[in-house]
């Protein structure tokens, strides 16, 4: 057995979740469990801007297996359509981060989306 000079071995066990007031639960759920990461990529228009198509492009040569992009989901729902719209609206009411990310996905054309 190896003798340690600085304490016990580190175990990769998540710490217990801290108790939060009931009013904060929704807000805490909206917090990401990990940091977002943007590697050597950028979003550019594909063809003409008026065609409204964008794509994700690398800004340099990348190696196989290199991390390019990590992002937490804005919202989750059991189905697309109205349930997803409701989940995104809830996320945007409790998280400025979710609102900014959802807004950044827009193509810049002013639109008003209504739920059915």
């Amino acid at each position: 057995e190896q003798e340690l000079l600085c304490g016990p071995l580190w175990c990769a066990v998540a710490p217990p979740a801290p108790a939060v007031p009931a009013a904060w639960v929704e807000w805490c759920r909206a917090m990401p469990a990990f940091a977002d990461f943007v590697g050597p990529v950028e979003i550019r228009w594909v063809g003409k801007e008026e065609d409204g198509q964008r794509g994700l492009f690398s800004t340099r040569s990348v190696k196989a297996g290199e991390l390019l992009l990590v992002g937490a989901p804005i919202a989750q729902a059991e189905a697309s359509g109205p349930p997803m719209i409701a989940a995104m609206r809830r996320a945007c009411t409790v998280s400025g981060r979710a609102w900014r990310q959802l807004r950044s996905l827009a193509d810049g054309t002013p639109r008003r989306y209504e739920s059915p």
Side-chain angles (χ1 to χ4, degrees):
E1 188 172 318
Q2 189 177 22
E3 183 179 335
L4 300 174
L5 302 177
C6 61
L9 289 173
W10 178 77
C11 275
V13 176
V20 296
W24 293 12
V25 171
E26 188 78 19
W27 179 79
C28 288
R29 284 190 188 131
M31 297 298 290
F34 50 85
D36 288 343
F37 170 79
V38 178
V41 295
E42 65 183 5
I43 297 173
R44 293 193 311 235
W45 291 103
V46 178
K48 297 179 181 177
E49 186 173 329
E50 56 268 12
D51 292 339
Q53 295 181 4
R54 295 180 295 171
L56 185 68
F57 296 86
S58 64
T59 57
R60 62 170 173 77
S61 295
V62 294
K63 297 177 184 173
E66 186 175 349
L67 187 61
L68 300 178
L69 186 65
V70 176
I74 295 171
Q76 63 184 31
E78 293 180 16
S80 60
M84 181 54 85
I85 291 169
M88 287 189 291
R89 284 186 171 166
R90 274 193 309 276
C92 290
T93 60
V94 298
S95 169
R97 176 186 163 278
W99 169 245
R100 288 187 302 276
Q101 285 185 321
L102 189 60
R103 191 175 62 196
S104 73
L105 294 173
D107 64 3
T109 305
R111 295 183 185 152
R112 182 180 173 100
Y113 292 99
E114 298 290 335
S115 65

